[in-house]
Amino acid sequence: TLMNKGFEVIEACWLFNLGASEVEVVVHPQSSIHAMVEYTDGSVIAQISATDMRMPIQYAMTYPERRRGPVPPLDWTQARTWQFSAPDLKKFRLLKLAYEAQEQGGSATCTLNAADEVGVAAFLEGRIPFPAIAKTVEETLARQPSREARTIQEVISIDSASRELAKQIVAESRWTAANGRDA
């Protein structure tokens, strides 16, 4: 679904004060490069490690300190091929929705997260098929008005309302887990 990448786009925008158009996602099937930053001079610095998310998580949690890693180091004497491609936003609708929610601003990203969690839970419970997660998120975003939240209580209220709407959309859904199509 690439929704996790969508959340990472949103996080990068907040952490580094960037617009969604300034954060680019690339598909890297080998999963060795976990992040790259391109500087204004054109140089790129990458966080590269074994295909194991414990390394980038450790780095994020211990920064700026460097600790011994929980995974074996890469063997640089072994030949490697790294492939990169742009994500297909028609195929990965949730990534597209994440970009759109970030661009919209306001509470759209809160609604995105709430609807995704409801959709994933419904899928895991066997109530909707996998493609219906994206449909649930898309419909919730379309029906839940975005607004500026000024307090934590307002964020919690928006999250709650978005979850209730997403649950209603799942309940109204014509999808069935058995056939994965509209009933």
Side-chain angles (χ1 to χ4, degrees):
T1 65
L2 285 186
M3 179 52 101
N4 286 344
K5 291 297 169 215
F7 289 137
E8 290 172 1
V9 167
I10 293 165
E11 291 165 5
C13 290
W14 279 94
L15 288 171
F16 302 108
N17 196 29
L18 299 170
S21 63
E22 296 175 282
V23 180
E24 182 180 358
V25 171
V26 293
V27 177
H28 170 53
Q30 295 77 29
S31 300
S32 296
I33 301 176
H34 301 283
M36 296 186 292
V37 176
E38 183 176 359
Y39 291 87
T40 55
D41 65 2
S43 63
V44 175
I45 295 176
Q47 195 283 315
I48 303 170
S49 65
T51 306
D52 188 317
M53 285 305 294
R54 290 180 295 169
M55 280 306 304
I57 292 168
Q58 175 183 301
Y59 179 60
M61 292 179 71
T62 62
Y63 180 83
E65 187 180 331
R66 293 288 189 160
R67 295 189 181 164
R68 182 172 300 283
V71 298
L74 293 174
D75 182 353
W76 291 99
T77 64
Q78 298 296 311
R80 302 182 182 282
T81 301
W82 289 344
Q83 299 166 323
F84 303 95
S85 62
D88 180 346
L89 295 181
K90 289 182 182 177
K91 181 177 179 183
F92 300 113
R93 289 173 49 208
L94 289 170
L95 177 58
K96 182 177 188 239
L97 291 171
Y99 269 103
E100 290 172 354
Q102 179 62 25
E103 288 171 0
Q104 181 179 349
S107 61
T109 55
C110 178
T111 295
L112 174 88
N113 180 68
D116 181 62
E117 288 186 6
V118 168
V120 168
F123 166 72
L124 292 174
E125 294 165 1
R127 294 186 292 128
I128 62 173
F130 189 75
I133 297 171
K135 188 67 176 161
T136 299
V137 173
E138 184 174 38
E139 186 68 23
T140 304
L141 282 167
R143 290 170 49 183
Q144 181 67 33
S146 181
R147 62 187 172 107
E148 291 297 324
R150 292 180 183 15
T151 67
I152 271 296
Q153 189 54 47
E154 286 179 344
V155 172
I156 292 168
S157 176
I158 292 164
D159 177 81
S160 179
S162 298
R163 287 174 191 278
E164 288 307 312
L165 178 56
K167 288 175 186 176
Q168 178 185 344
I169 290 166
V170 166
E172 295 170 354
S173 176
R174 297 181 306 161
W175 290 87
T176 63
N179 66 18
R181 297 179 186 195
D182 284 309

